[in-house]
Amino acid sequence: MSEDRSLARRVNCVVNGTAQAAEVSVRRTLADYLRQDLGLTGTHLGCEHGVCGACTVLVDGRAVRSCLMLAVQAEGCAVTTVEGIAPDVVTLHPLQTAFAKHHALQCGFCTPGMLTTLLEFLEEVPAPTAEEIRIVISGNLCRCTGYEPIVAATLEAAAVMRGGA
Amino acid sequence: MKPPPFAYHDPSTLEEAISLLSTLPNARPLAGGQSMMPMLNMRFAQPDHLVDLNRIAGLDGVTVEPDGALTIGAMARQRVLEQHPEVARRCPLMVEALAQVGHRQTRNRGTIGGSLCHLDPAAELPLVAAAMEAVVRVAGPNGQRDIAFADFAQGYMTPEMEPEELLVAVRIPAQPAGAGHCFLEYARRHGDFAIASVAVMLVPDAVGRIAEARVALGGVGAVPLRLPEAEAALRGAPDVSRAVAATKTLEPMEDALVPAWYRRHLAGVLLGRALVIAQSRMGRA
Amino acid sequence: MTGGTAFRDVPRLEDPPLLRGRARFVDDIRAAGGLHAAFLRSPFAHAAIRAIDASAARALPGVRLVLTAADLNPHLTETRLKVALPSPAFRQTLDRPVLASGEVVHVGEAVAIIVADDRYIAEDALSLIEVDYDPLDAVADCVAALADGAPTAHQGAPHNLVGDFTLGFGDPDAAFASAAVVVRETLSQHRGVAHSMECRGLVAIPDPIEDRLTVWSSTQTPHVARRMLCDILGLREDQVRVVTPDVGGGFGPKLVFYPEEAAVAAAARLLGRPVKWIEDRREHFIAATQERDQVWDVELAMDAEGRILGVRGEMIHDHGAWTARGLNVAYGAVSAMPLAYIVPAYRIRSRSAVTNKVPVTPIRGAGQPQGVFAMERLLDRAAQRLGLDRAEIRRRNLVPADRMPYATPLKTRGGMQVVLDSGDFPQCMAEALQRADWDGFRDRQEAARVQGRYLGIGVANYVEGTGRGPFEHVSVRLEPSGRIFVATGAAPMGQSTRTMLAQLVAEQLGGDMANVEVSAGDTATSPLGLGGFNSRQAVMAGTSAHVASIKVRDRVLQVAATLLEASEADLEIAGRAVRVTGTGMQVTLAEIARAAAGLPGFALPGGRAGIAAAEEVVIDPMTYANGSCVAEVEVDAGTGNIAITRLSFMHDCGRALHPRIVEGQVLGGIAHGIGNALFEWMGFDDQAQPVTTNLAEYLLMSATEMPHAISIGHLESPTPLNPLGIKGVGESGVIPVAAAIASAVEDALSPFDARMNRVPIAPHDVVAAMLGDAAR
Ligand code: FES
Ligand code: FES
């Protein structure tokens, strides 16, 4: 690959707790980097113009749309994707458990973006109202569920998380 | 929908950024990217060089001037401003507006400077800048200059800036003591660009009468508009219906989704409602 | 003996991988050496193609192949997509080409395919292809399309009429002649886009050694896709495998076989390398099929007591530029209109018009929302004229429970009589009204008016044909590992099809769903299949799974009886073993399968080999689900905003295999219906240029627009048409919602005598209705 750092460069970041370094073209989006270079295909692309929220990941703890960031901009950042949410391979995060219980996912395509968005939110607002939840996921489109099961799941997960479960 | 090829630069100083912008052909700055990146992905924007401002230190500060004004660095994230205590204290209008700017994920990246330069006629922050009589600071190869926001917002999505210039900060005079403010908009969905929006600031005198009124409207013109007739009608003994009637002269743009008359109609409705709220929040000087 | 897994809320098999980001959607599939495709699409709604120069694109480093129609067609045994469902009503054949040649007839039509090392480069090359277009008059409107002297959407076509049929029975003219009241309206529903959150896409992986092709496709109909690929590429069925990965929503358009699938598969074979194409959202706006544009001019005749005497009228359906499925949406709309009510005489002529817009095929509801909208708006109008409560006029006309099964004079598109098999429509509406506190509404409304607030309420009923036959394939096999392997031609797209089948199979075979492996939507594991559409999979595949599982259970017990030297009557399957009731004696499913697999020279238990059954249970008649929706709205007299303050929905889909999933399907449909009623508008200008091509302009419902008070209730009228008593539910939620909301808005605006004859209703429509010209 080119020596010219303006066309391609090595990106170092920590993804789901693992240090990653890869040479990427400067125009590669963070979403494509995660999906194609790191094989973390849990982050989905639903619109690539910043409306659907399916591509949401946490960058340094903040929920952002990974279709609207370049991979090179993640240099030095800590990135969390949906693959990094569950504590281990057998246990699910309380939010994930509540999603399954409340049928908050059907096709599941929007789910990774919902989960990452809500994780940041619940960190900040541990005891949210239903209306606050609706507002926070209003930037995440879901064509299947009609959203209310997601709101119900989030309320329950928040309670579980507050309980320290 | 993938970005076109470009060369990428991430300068660490403002000077470097300006020199890149003034020497490289067809170079565009990249701030928070919440408008620029979609335009790149859709290839509506095809720069040869992208100058990323995110690594420049010191462009994202929020400082309180001796006169109480806020100076906000261009790269301050919208989400940071939304949660900033000084912004809440000195410019509550902005906090009210920010709750309607896009969504949490876009506000986490989006910057105030990016929004002001993008200058979407229905965007919230330019409307706040118009209502607050903000002054923007622009830096270029020949140094810095300050521009009143009214002059900065020159035309449809066109700020008064040269391609090699950058917006570095915006100065927002503190909300006067006792002033009542209100930001209202109507959008079809939460977080959408407004069909019409209104920012109102009513500044009282010592006895609680309106000494100064500011009425700014978004979505109804090429740029955020002030409505002097409405402002005049509100001073002293306020004539709300005359103020609202002033919206009848607006000539909004027509588009495939929203008829112009409806934007004009909404401006009047929202102004009427905003004035009620702003008046209820007004105290004394 | 039951496994306790069916008809209850068991955990979904689909959830854990989806929640962990470890599911496998089509774009997640990486084939070694894979290349990426992009399509050059027409920027014109109608133009002649004079010349194409792709030399610069071909020369771009990283570009592997560029094909126009002229390059591609010599490699195809069939250059057009022959997908039309047969109908005598066709007036033109409009099979679309794989790639456009000579003429483009809608914005977004594929003109060339580019294959490159990655999608970025493929998109770079798009702008390097030069096409010399000669723009032609475009047909943007389906009504204008049928006017005398209208330009034609296809050059050289005699006219724009593609389908013309009249559906009717009885003597409507006599009915109208004797009517006490006749109401007539012009009604329309606007075109929308399906917008599954995952767009379309496929990965075609050629195997040059064996001359085979594997296609991973985000399709609702893998078996149809295989047949089409065989026809187009000149391959045998054994050479082509089409398999669906996880599918991120379908909602209709993914049941269609598309030009892109043929072009990508052909390119992969030409290159001898895997090629992936993932539709981006902008392409979805201009290349995935759309639905709902219809204009109805209809009238309703009533006697003085508010009983329906007859319905007649005309409907013009926007077919789009090509026949991508058939006349089925128009047919579905016209046959849905009278279904919930006793209508003695009926005649609707439907004409389908060719326009220079994206082809039209079913989207969730498939014409039925339009038919229901037409009927319900007319009933409201008649109620007004007769001074009857809108619920009362419906009560007087709904097909009563004691007439079930009710043989309507209608026929399905396949020529079979429409028989409403079961249900209690009046009870269903009564419960919806009760949930909505219909009777208390006038007080609420008056109290609000005093405060200057405008509330309205509306009701709509629907009957939906579900479980489209004739069959779905399911095989069930007990493997020597003791695992149960289920294969089906049904294709999941988010409706929990795997869970549904595992529930039914485990119900018969030990109750351990974790022991059931389901392969769905894979032509390699199912010889036959129709796929996912028309709210059919639980009914058709579920029934086949149920019947096959019972056969497998009988065989398991037969073998177990031999092994345990016990009577079959004393045996029960529990978990992964069969035991003799009340004793400690048992044999595992694995041991049973191994015994049935045979040993050389030894007799087989029961004299047969293996433990498996395959079923294609044939059920020709559709089973009819029904429901009632009551919407309550508050209209903001200033902004025109319509807030749905309360939505009450009663429905009946027979027995619910998984109540939570059923509820999820209904709720998702309701959200889609609200979108159709208030938000979703796929706009085109007068040159048929799309004006809403991103998700900021085209408004999908988000969480903040959902009504906070949604109440969904269930009646269970089991159908006699299948042994499970189940009916389909996937589309039900969407069907009555627009009608109920339009009714409610009209009610809220009754002081202004407003008429809501068109959806979506925008806030400026409301303001215009309230203020008239004063607003402008
Ligand atoms: S893919 Fe990033 S917001 Fe839709
Ligand atoms: S579950 Fe399918 S898009 Fe949300």
Side-chain angles (χ1 to χ4, degrees):
Chain A
M1 207 173 261
S2 161
E3 286 296 291
D4 186 345
R5 278 181 40 83
S6 73
L7 298 178
R9 59 172 69 177
R10 198 162 183 78
V11 174
N12 301 283
C13 54
V14 174
V15 181
N16 299 330
T18 306
Q20 299 282 0
E23 179 92 1
V24 296
S25 158
V26 297
R27 63 165 155 162
R28 202 164 193 70
T29 62
L30 176 58
D32 280 344
Y33 171 68
L34 294 168
R35 291 179 46 79
Q36 298 185 23
D37 298 294
L38 303 186
L40 294 170
T41 54
T43 298
H44 295 154
L45 289 171
C47 73
E48 296 178 280
H49 55 272
V51 185
C52 77
C55 67
T56 305
V57 301
L58 302 179
V59 173
D60 292 336
R62 295 276 200 181
V64 302
R65 302 199 188 293
S66 63
C67 72
L68 300 188
M69 254 183 90
L70 297 170
V72 291
Q73 294 185 297
E75 171 70 31
C77 294
V79 180
T80 304
T81 68
V82 64
E83 289 93 338
I85 295 177
D88 58 59
V89 291
V90 275
T91 326
L92 291 174
H93 186 280
L95 190 58
Q96 293 169 313
T97 306
F99 262 55
K101 181 173 159 198
H102 289 268
H103 196 29
L105 66 161
Q106 292 183 20
C107 79
F109 197 79
C110 67
T111 310
M114 293 282 180
L115 293 172
T116 44
T117 299
L118 287 165
L119 269 190
E120 182 207 33
F121 171 67
L122 291 178
E123 191 100 320
E124 220 174 271
V125 186
T129 63
E131 189 54 19
E132 287 172 322
I133 296 167
R134 288 188 194 102
I135 289 172
V136 84
I137 60 168
S138 65
N140 295 74
L141 297 175
C142 172
R143 190 55 145 166
C144 298
T145 62
Y147 301 102
E148 287 298 295
I150 299 173
V151 176
T154 308
L155 285 169
E156 181 174 302
V160 171
M161 289 162 72
R162 285 197 304 276
Chain B
M1 284 171 69
K2 307 293 181 190
F6 50 76
Y8 173 81
H9 311 268
D10 55 345
S12 52
T13 66
L14 185 60
E15 296 66 38
E16 219 184 313
I18 290 166
S19 113
L20 287 165
L21 285 171
S22 46
T23 52
L24 297 170
N26 188 22
R28 294 283 296 270
L30 175 66
Q34 303 305 289
S35 301
M36 187 62 177
M37 283 296 298
M39 299 217 299
L40 287 169
N41 290 355
M42 295 197 255
R43 300 193 180 213
F44 292 156
Q46 306 223 13
D48 292 318
H49 296 270
L50 201 59
V51 179
D52 186 349
L53 310 178
N54 286 278
R55 302 254 170 226
I56 301 175
L59 269 189
D60 60 353
V62 176
T63 47
V64 180
E65 305 291 328
D67 66 352
L70 282 173
T71 296
I72 301 175
M75 290 298 289
R77 310 275 173 199
Q78 292 156 2
R79 183 104 183 101
V80 170
L81 298 176
E82 191 182 349
Q83 296 173 316
H84 201 289
E86 290 298 344
V87 178
R89 186 170 311 136
R90 292 162 202 282
C91 190
L93 186 70
M94 182 180 291
V95 178
E96 201 158 278
L98 278 166
Q100 326 235 26
V101 177
H103 304 279
R104 172 183 286 246
Q105 300 108 320
T106 62
R107 295 197 297 272
N108 274 336
R109 288 291 294 172
T111 62
I112 186 170
S115 179
L116 295 181
C117 291
H118 187 60
L119 206 55
D120 188 289
E124 290 81 3
L125 288 175
L127 189 62
V128 171
M132 296 302 292
E133 301 186 343
V135 175
V136 298
R137 176 157 297 169
V138 162
N142 305 320
Q144 304 200 334
R145 61 195 177 103
D146 288 348
I147 316 169
F149 184 77
D151 301 324
F152 177 77
Q154 186 190 49
Y156 178 72
M157 298 183 90
T158 313
E160 162 60 39
M161 253 175 28
E162 298 302 320
E164 65 274 13
E165 285 183 316
L166 284 172
L167 193 153
V168 292
V170 53
R171 183 179 189 280
I172 299 176
Q175 182 163 321
H181 69 278
C182 182
F183 185 97
L184 272 189
E185 69 174 44
Y186 182 70
R188 294 300 312 278
R189 299 175 304 181
H190 184 88
D192 282 350
F193 277 124
I195 297 175
S197 51
V198 46
V200 169
M201 173 82 68
L202 302 178
V203 184
D205 60 16
V207 292
R209 280 186 329 185
I210 298 174
E212 184 196 351
R214 295 189 211 153
V215 172
L217 297 164
V220 291
V223 293
L225 299 176
R226 289 284 289 272
L227 207 56
E229 304 101 286
E231 294 176 351
L234 292 166
R235 274 194 292 273
D239 182 344
V240 171
S241 52
R242 194 155 67 83
V244 169
T247 59
K248 297 226 185 313
T249 59
L250 295 168
E251 288 185 7
M253 287 183 286
E254 184 94 24
D255 65 44
L257 302 175
V258 185
W261 67 261
Y262 178 63
R263 289 187 195 271
R264 180 167 54 235
H265 167 81
L266 263 187
V269 170
L270 294 174
L271 177 55
R273 293 180 184 179
L275 287 173
V276 173
I277 298 171
Q279 275 180 295
S280 74
R281 289 171 174 173
M282 199 176 75
R284 285 158 194 238
Chain C
M1 171 169 45
T2 61
T5 50
F7 303 106
R8 65 181 58 189
D9 290 338
V10 295
R12 292 203 320 158
L13 300 181
E14 292 84 355
D15 285 342
L18 290 169
L19 286 163
R20 286 177 178 275
R22 305 217 181 273
R24 182 185 50 198
F25 293 91
V26 64
D27 195 18
D28 304 344
I29 292 167
R30 279 180 81 182
L35 301 170
H36 298 260
F39 284 88
L40 181 70
R41 299 185 179 280
S42 170
F44 293 102
H46 194 194
I49 300 175
R50 292 212 184 288
I52 305 179
D53 180 358
S55 52
R58 289 195 172 98
L60 186 73
V63 171
R64 303 291 168 152
L65 185 70
V66 179
L67 297 171
T68 64
D71 307 315
L72 177 63
N73 288 352
H75 301 284
L76 305 180
T77 45
E78 178 62 72
T79 61
R80 288 185 181 267
L81 275 44
K82 302 207 162 135
V83 296
L85 293 167
S87 168
F90 273 115
R91 296 292 174 269
Q92 290 185 52
T93 300
L94 289 172
D95 298 331
R96 57 175 158 170
V98 174
L99 292 175
S101 69
E103 184 181 15
V104 285
V105 290
H106 69 87
V107 171
E109 188 170 22
V111 173
I113 175 174
I114 294 175
V115 182
D117 289 350
D118 72 21
R119 173 81 183 209
Y120 289 74
I121 297 171
E123 290 188 18
D124 295 346
L126 288 178
S127 59
L128 300 177
I129 300 180
E130 280 179 34
V131 184
D132 183 4
Y133 289 107
D134 191 1
L136 299 166
D137 276 342
V139 180
D141 175 76
C142 61
V143 175
L146 296 181
D148 283 341
T152 53
H154 291 259
Q155 266 185 306
H159 48 69
N160 293 315
L161 182 67
V162 59
D164 189 350
F165 64 86
T166 298
L167 199 63
F169 50 79
D171 186 347
D173 296 334
F176 277 83
S178 67
V181 166
V182 171
V183 289
R184 178 173 180 170
E185 288 295 340
T186 300
L187 307 163
S188 60
Q189 281 210 340
H190 197 82
R191 180 184 279 250
V193 188
H195 285 307
S196 50
M197 291 322 298
E198 178 202 40
C199 293
R200 296 179 295 135
L202 74 156
V203 187
I205 307 172
D207 174 356
I209 299 171
E210 293 200 287
D211 195 20
R212 287 171 195 264
L213 178 69
T214 299
V215 174
W216 291 88
S217 177
S218 184
T219 178
Q220 300 172 218
T221 56
H223 285 79
V224 174
R226 178 179 61 171
R227 193 190 73 224
M228 294 298 302
L229 288 171
C230 288
D231 288 352
I232 289 168
L233 301 175
L235 296 172
R236 300 182 314 271
E237 282 76 3
D238 64 284
Q239 291 177 288
V240 181
R241 175 189 178 202
V242 177
V243 47
T244 54
D246 288 309
V247 172
F251 310 111
K254 288 182 183 176
L255 77 84
V256 173
F257 183 83
Y258 284 89
E260 292 91 347
E261 294 172 272
V264 168
R269 277 176 60 81
L270 284 171
L271 287 159
R273 288 177 67 175
V275 177
K276 177 191 281 189
W277 170 70
I278 301 299
E279 180 185 58
D280 67 31
R281 187 57 63 182
R282 202 156 39 159
E283 292 180 286
H284 189 78
F285 271 104
I286 56 174
T289 53
Q290 305 178 348
E291 202 214 300
R292 301 240 203 278
D293 275 335
Q294 289 181 350
V295 179
W296 296 64
D297 178 4
V298 274
E299 50 186 341
L300 170 70
M302 287 230 159
D303 69 15
E305 276 72 55
R307 275 179 224 289
I308 299 171
L309 298 175
V311 172
R312 68 184 176 191
E314 302 223 353
M315 185 271 274
I316 295 177
H317 168 81
D318 186 333
H319 185 78
W322 295 110
T323 297
R325 180 73 173 169
L327 302 175
N328 53 325
V329 173
Y331 198 92
V334 174
S335 40
M337 184 179 179
L339 224 41
Y341 303 99
I342 303 245
V343 178
Y346 185 70
R347 186 181 64 231
I348 304 275
R349 179 184 183 195
S350 161
R351 288 179 294 159
S352 293
V354 193
T355 58
N356 291 114
K357 293 191 277 188
V358 182
V360 168
T361 73
I363 291 181
R364 195 174 207 168
Q368 298 173 102
Q370 297 95 307
V372 165
F373 188 76
M375 190 72 197
E376 300 293 322
R377 304 311 301 122
L378 287 178
L379 284 171
D380 280 359
R381 207 65 77 226
Q384 254 168 17
R385 285 276 295 280
L386 286 163
L388 275 176
D389 177 62
R390 287 167 297 160
E392 179 56 29
I393 203 168
R394 288 166 167 84
R395 221 172 273 133
R396 292 180 189 182
N397 290 286
L398 283 168
V399 178
D402 59 13
R403 297 277 298 267
M404 295 292 171
Y406 176 70
T408 76
L410 281 169
K411 295 227 175 358
T412 67
R413 69 187 187 215
M416 286 173 259
Q417 189 171 21
V418 172
V419 180
L420 304 181
D421 50 282
S422 55
D424 187 340
F425 304 170
Q427 180 64 21
C428 191
M429 184 176 77
E431 292 196 25
L433 295 171
Q434 197 183 351
R435 274 168 193 272
D437 185 21
W438 178 274
D439 293 334
F441 176 73
R442 289 297 168 217
D443 290 342
R444 293 201 288 287
Q445 188 179 39
E446 265 166 43
R449 290 255 165 102
V450 171
Q451 303 165 4
R453 291 162 54 221
Y454 292 88
L455 305 191
I457 198 166
V459 60
N461 296 299
Y462 73 96
V463 171
E464 183 205 355
T466 75
R468 175 86 66 188
F471 75 90
E472 189 53 82
H473 169 91
V474 176
S475 66
V476 180
R477 191 167 71 224
L478 181 61
E479 301 280 16
S481 59
R483 308 256 311 153
I484 299 159
F485 181 78
V486 179
T488 179
M493 46 182 149
Q495 331 88 311
S496 326
T497 306
R498 286 192 174 83
T499 298
M500 178 270 291
L501 292 173
Q503 277 182 279
L504 288 168
V505 172
E507 178 76 11
Q508 303 301 332
L509 291 169
D512 182 2
M513 285 175 60
N515 195 34
V516 181
E517 198 65 46
V518 181
S519 165
D522 183 350
T523 62
T525 58
S526 291
L528 290 167
L530 291 177
F533 51 89
N534 224 153
S535 304
R536 67 182 301 275
Q537 302 205 114
V539 176
M540 301 311 300
T543 299
S544 291
H546 174 71
V547 173
S549 304
I550 290 174
K551 289 188 175 169
V552 169
R553 183 186 67 185
D554 291 348
R555 174 81 176 125
V556 164
L557 295 178
Q558 180 191 45
V559 176
T562 309
L563 297 179
L564 290 164
E565 296 179 357
S567 153
E568 283 179 41
D570 296 332
L571 300 182
E572 61 185 6
I573 311 178
R576 303 189 185 190
V578 177
R579 62 178 181 230
V580 184
T581 318
T583 75
M585 283 178 20
Q586 66 164 39
V587 58
T588 66
L589 291 179
E591 288 164 334
I592 292 166
R594 280 160 212 235
L599 281 171
F602 290 82
L604 284 162
R608 280 164 59 199
I611 298 182
E615 281 295 334
E616 291 101 20
V617 178
V618 174
I619 308 174
D620 285 324
M622 297 181 83
T623 174
Y624 290 86
N626 68 283
S628 307
C629 176
V630 181
E632 189 169 326
V633 301
E634 175 163 357
V635 171
D636 182 325
T639 61
N641 188 62
I642 298 163
I644 301 166
T645 46
R646 185 165 173 175
L647 197 136
S648 311
F649 201 106
M650 260 326 273
H651 79 113
D652 187 341
C653 64
R655 293 184 74 196
L657 269 175
H658 191 302
R660 196 182 280 281
I661 289 174
V662 165
E663 181 134 339
Q665 289 294 317
V666 174
L667 183 58
I670 289 172
H672 198 148
I674 297 172
N676 288 156
L678 301 178
F679 292 95
E680 296 188 37
W681 185 78
M682 179 65 211
F684 290 82
D685 70 11
D686 58 4
Q687 281 305 302
Q689 275 289 339
V691 297
T692 48
T693 54
N694 63 60
L695 288 178
E697 293 162 343
Y698 184 92
L699 308 178
L700 288 172
M701 294 284 292
S702 80
T704 36
E705 287 73 56
M706 283 299 285
H708 297 178
I710 298 181
S711 149
I712 298 175
H714 312 270
L715 280 185
E716 293 203 355
S717 305
T719 176
L721 295 176
N722 64 62
L724 298 166
I726 59 176
K727 306 177 182 182
V729 68
E731 297 169 275
S732 56
V734 77
I735 296 175
V737 173
I741 291 175
S743 178
V745 173
E746 202 170 277
D747 183 42
L749 299 183
S750 53
F752 306 92
D753 199 21
R755 297 201 165 184
M756 293 295 141
N757 286 353
R758 190 182 63 192
V759 287
I761 305 168
H764 59 258
D765 296 329
V766 170
V767 175
M770 295 178 93
L771 301 184
D773 286 340
R776 294 150 212 255

